[in-house]
Amino acid sequence: MKKIIAAAAAGVMLAFSGTAAHAAYEPTVPTDVKTGSDGNVQAGKKERIVVRLGVDGDAAQCTGQVTLIYMSGKVVLRQRDKGPADRVPFNARVPKKTTKIVALYQRGKKDPCDKSTKVIRL
């Protein structure tokens, strides 16, 4: 009986000791996504869209991904991912049915940078 009580107490102690390890990693660096292009972005045309990460310090400290999503309403037409840098260029033909382009930074594991989103409406 003493072994069962000791095992139950040990199980309860182990259950509560792991809660701190599963807590979310809080971002410490504010991130601001900005977009730029060579002019008016038009559906069906080849465009160069540059995404800039507004990060205090070097953008190489970020471990996530910069994603450019071409959408028609709520439907994703195309999605491109690249690693973080101060300036991330995307060269592609914009799909004809595109109504908005979403540039976002998605956090990686133990990423000090915060998530950020910018929307271009066509």
Side-chain angles (χ1 to χ4, degrees):
M1 187 70 171
K2 289 182 183 179
K3 289 182 181 179
I4 294 174
I5 294 173
V12 169
M13 292 170 78
L14 283 175
F16 288 113
S17 67
T19 57
H22 295 292
Y25 190 81
E26 293 297 321
T28 56
V29 178
T31 307
D32 183 30
V33 173
K34 298 175 185 168
T35 58
S37 62
D38 296 338
N40 237 359
V41 177
Q42 298 176 355
K45 303 269 181 153
K46 189 169 183 176
E47 299 287 346
R48 178 182 177 91
I49 300 172
V50 178
V51 178
R52 296 173 197 260
L53 287 180
V55 177
D56 295 339
D58 189 15
Q61 66 184 334
C62 301
T63 61
Q65 286 187 339
V66 177
T67 305
L68 197 68
I69 304 170
Y70 301 95
M71 298 182 75
S72 176
K74 293 184 179 182
V75 178
V76 175
L77 300 174
R78 185 182 300 155
Q79 180 174 332
R80 304 279 187 220
D81 297 325
K82 289 189 176 182
D86 289 327
R87 185 177 179 278
V88 183
F90 290 90
N91 297 321
R93 184 171 303 278
V94 178
K96 289 188 178 185
K97 295 181 180 181
T98 302
T99 57
K100 67 181 174 181
I101 300 172
V102 180
L104 65 104
Y105 176 74
Q106 297 175 342
R107 297 183 66 210
K109 287 190 174 187
K110 294 193 176 181
D111 194 350
C113 301
D114 199 9
K115 62 183 178 180
S116 181
T117 305
K118 172 74 175 174
V119 178
I120 302 171
R121 299 211 183 268
L122 303 181

